[in-house]
Amino acid sequence: MSIRVHNTMTRTKEEFVPREAGKVAMYVCGPTVYNHIHIGNARTFLTFDVIRRYFIWRGFDVTFVQNITDVDDKIIKRAAEEGIAPADVADTYTFAFRAAMESLGIERPTAQPLATQTIPQMIDMIERLIAGGHAYAVDGDVYFSVRSFPAYGKLSGRDIDDLESGARVEVDDRKQDPLDFALWKTAKPGEPHWPSPWGEGRPGWHIECSVMSEGELGLPFDIHGGASDLIFPHHENELAQSEAATGTQFVRYWLHGGLLQVNAEKMSKSLGNFMLLKDVLAVYAVPVVRLFMLQTHYRSPLEFSTDRLDEARTAFERIENLVRNLEWAKSAKAMSSGAPSASRELLASARDAAREKFVAEMDDDFNTAGALGAIFEFARAANTFLADNQSDVGVADIELLVHAKELIIELLAVLGVVVTGAVDIEFPPDVVGIANQLAGYAGTDPEEAVRALLAARAAARAERNWTAADAVRDGLAMVGLVVEDTAQGARVTYRAVN
RNA sequence: GGCGACGUCGCCAAGUGGCAAGGCAGAGGCCUGCAAAGCCUUUAUCCCCGGUUCGAAUCCGGGCGUCGCCUCCA
């Protein structure tokens, strides 16, 4: 079985054939570091993190490169607003970006070059473009000549004449063609600048990606990713520069993700309708945010909504509960002969089917929504097994339970969704007082206090003293601890009060 | 104006020629002292019209609607 990917260039799904068997060379456009990233930016990075993880899980050796644009108009503007140096703005938000990626559980790139550390290579490529007749210098600026590259527009599916008939092309007399774009810009006073054959200046936006991707990966590399709003002009321009400069194919497969929307409108910094990733993560756990996003295919638009996030949280709890219940059932004393063989076979075949479907869905252009469906279908099968056999788990069933749990953990890990089933129980200090009151507990250890309370409740239940038993449960509920009665006795889990 | 994408159960969302996954929400039932967790049952013919086909949500044409790109943007 092979992996199929949707290639923006051809607008179809194609079999993924890497340039080198068993290896994937991919490049994903990183951020311009002038602000914290918002949840829409995060979606794109999450998408390609999952793609990368999946390739690795399927046995590929992945080289993952992501640039950081640390010199740019917006950084300069922000620095001016705050009265600090552009480099300080860039440093601040580069640090913040890396922290944000880590907080979302996104694996670090193999290489993460900075634009400001790639200036000589950019100048070199610009010189080659000029030498090849693909670029020209005017007053210290250098422009790429779109007319010099006949294939210009092939990625985004437009042609130059169509573009020019649109009303929004800026007019600049110094350009040979309105669509020509800057490779090098003369620095204005106070702006960051580097020496170049055309004078002190700084690079245009698109050139860095051409240079860095080629420098780190060589051409053509396998996958170039980004959000769909980068297709034009950014990626079109990258492609034009690279292919014009090298005469070889730039990228084998172009992958683009759909945009996050708010009220059916693109979330963007310029529209001001954005939520910062860090603010969302302050309220929703990482697995919940990942699940929320991965329940929609990466190429589709996704509406940001706290209602959707709340639903994702409930869905994630379903998985967490299952993993915890599998672990709990496993710890049961082997009481008897165990589950009937029909029940065991059902679970085993559901396990195989889940893995098979997961792979098939992910192979099909990384269909995480379908893959999650496979996991949830298996969750039901596992829950059914537990429901049917929870009071009758035999020694022979233990292995089955372990495998079920491991499968869920493994497959979700491919999506970067970490589920352990371990409940973080912070035994609140307040339970000591409650235990003192309801169970006569005289110590000071919260965990001991909880045990005393459960013991007291068990005794009360044995006497069918429901009032006393419920008082314990209510008391624990006040500090956020939930009591659950299971076939193996009562247990306590933690649930945030909000 | 040009180019492109999308329109599937109450909400979200897979599925791109052969009897419509999954999540959330709702209803009924089971389990439970009551709960919690969970299980079972139950809710769609796929925006509209026309066409191709033995057969279409899935292909083609038209219409309506939404979104994106065409300017910085993940």
Side-chain angles (χ1 to χ4, degrees), chain A residues 64 67 73 103 105 110 136 200 234 238 240-241 243 266 268 291 353 359 386 403 425 429 464 466 468 481:
Chain A
F64 186 99
N67 68 302
D73 289 349
S103 72
T110 313
Y136 53 94
E200 293 287 320
H234 185 52
E238 275 183 48
Q241 291 162 347
E243 297 197 348
K266 172 184 175 180
S268 78
L291 210 56
V359 172
L386 289 175
H403 284 169
I425 300 184
R464 307 183 68 79
W466 309 127
L481 295 174

Side-chain angles (χ1 to χ4, degrees), chain A residues 11-340:
Chain A
R11 299 182 191 283
T12 57
K13 285 183 197 170
E14 301 175 9
E15 181 182 350
F16 176 76
V17 181
R19 66 181 179 188
E20 187 176 350
K23 294 188 178 182
V24 179
M26 60 191 291
Y27 182 93
V28 176
C29 288
T32 299
V33 282
Y34 71 104
N35 196 349
H36 292 286
I37 64 163
H38 62 63
I39 187 82
N41 305 134
R43 184 192 183 196
T44 298
F45 301 136
L46 175 58
T47 291
F48 289 99
D49 180 59
V50 169
I51 289 173
R52 174 194 196 181
R53 286 170 184 266
Y54 186 66
F55 273 124
I56 291 171
W57 187 69
R58 291 284 260 116
F60 289 88
D61 181 6
V62 179
T63 304
F64 186 99
V65 179
Q66 180 175 53
N67 68 302
I68 286 184
T69 302
D70 59 348
V71 54
D72 173 86
D73 289 349
K74 291 193 289 286
I75 294 170
I76 293 167
K77 180 164 177 271
R78 177 96 190 207
E81 286 166 4
E82 301 195 356
I84 57 179
D88 290 340
V89 171
D91 285 351
T92 297
Y93 292 110
T94 297
F95 183 83
F97 171 68
R98 288 174 173 151
M101 290 295 93
E102 185 172 346
S103 72
L104 228 202
I106 289 172
E107 300 281 352
R108 297 175 65 167
T110 313
Q112 190 171 54
L114 303 178
T116 54
Q117 292 179 5
T118 321
I119 304 285
Q121 296 94 311
M122 291 193 229
I123 290 172
D124 180 65
M125 182 176 276
I126 295 169
E127 287 187 305
R128 279 185 283 145
L129 286 168
I130 292 174
H134 294 290
Y136 53 94
V138 186
D139 303 334
D141 292 343
V142 182
Y143 293 99
F144 182 88
S145 167
V146 295
R147 297 279 179 189
S148 76
F149 185 69
Y152 190 81
K154 69 176 176 179
L155 175 64
S156 54
R158 325 162 181 235
D159 69 60
I160 297 174
D161 296 321
D162 279 349
L163 286 165
E164 291 186 352
S165 68
R168 290 156 128 189
V169 178
E170 66 183 276
V171 178
D172 185 336
D173 291 342
R174 300 181 309 159
K175 292 183 182 179
Q176 292 173 3
D177 188 285
L179 288 169
D180 290 352
F181 54 91
L183 298 171
W184 189 262
K185 300 177 178 181
T186 301
K188 300 191 186 83
E191 290 185 349
H193 56 88
W194 289 261
S196 81
W198 317 285
E200 293 287 320
R202 58 194 168 89
W205 175 35
H206 315 293
I207 191 71
E208 65 177 85
C209 287
S210 286
V211 167
M212 292 175 180
S213 56
E214 181 182 354
E216 297 287 346
L217 300 168
L219 301 191
F221 56 92
D222 294 309
I223 290 175
H224 191 127
S228 57
D229 58 354
L230 292 186
I231 296 171
F232 189 91
H234 185 52
H235 288 162
E236 192 71 67
N237 291 353
E238 275 183 48
L239 186 159
Q241 291 162 347
S242 289
E243 297 197 348
T246 65
T248 60
Q249 185 187 23
F250 180 40
V251 167
R252 296 167 63 84
Y253 305 93
W254 290 90
L255 271 56
H256 290 98
L259 302 177
L260 196 71
Q261 304 184 339
V262 180
N263 296 326
E265 191 177 50
K266 172 184 175 180
M267 176 181 285
S268 78
K269 287 173 183 168
S270 45
L271 288 173
N273 60 349
F274 58 89
M275 290 274 299
L276 297 180
L277 172 63
K278 67 191 182 81
D279 294 334
V280 174
L281 288 182
V283 182
Y284 294 95
V286 171
V288 171
V289 173
R290 294 185 77 114
L291 210 56
F292 158 69
M293 292 185 170
L294 298 174
Q295 277 181 316
T296 297
H297 187 92
Y298 80 89
R299 280 191 286 112
S300 299
L302 170 61
E303 176 77 15
F304 177 83
S305 142
T306 52
D307 285 349
R308 290 287 91 70
L309 279 161
D310 289 339
E311 290 175 10
R313 175 155 55 198
T314 305
F316 182 62
E317 281 168 3
R318 180 173 168 78
I319 297 293
E320 273 191 316
N321 288 335
L322 170 60
V323 172
R324 189 168 69 247
N325 288 337
L326 287 168
E327 181 66 28
W328 184 258
K330 195 185 72 176
S331 71
K333 303 176 196 77
M335 282 172 277
S336 63
S337 52

Side-chain angles (χ1 to χ4, degrees), chain A residues 390-452:
Chain A
Q390 61 187 347
S391 60
D392 200 19
V393 174
V395 181
D397 298 319
I398 300 291
E399 188 181 0
L400 209 49
L401 294 173
V402 170
H403 284 169
K405 181 184 146 186
E406 286 177 347
L407 179 67
I408 289 169
I409 289 172
E410 178 189 357
L411 297 185
L412 283 171
V414 175
L415 306 178
V417 176
V418 177
V419 54
T420 62
V423 180
D424 288 333
I425 300 184
E426 298 168 33
F427 295 100
D430 292 350
V431 297
V432 174
I434 296 168
N436 178 266
Q437 199 179 358
L438 298 177
Y441 176 66
T444 58
D445 180 58
E447 190 171 346
E448 254 177 37
V450 168
R451 275 202 292 272

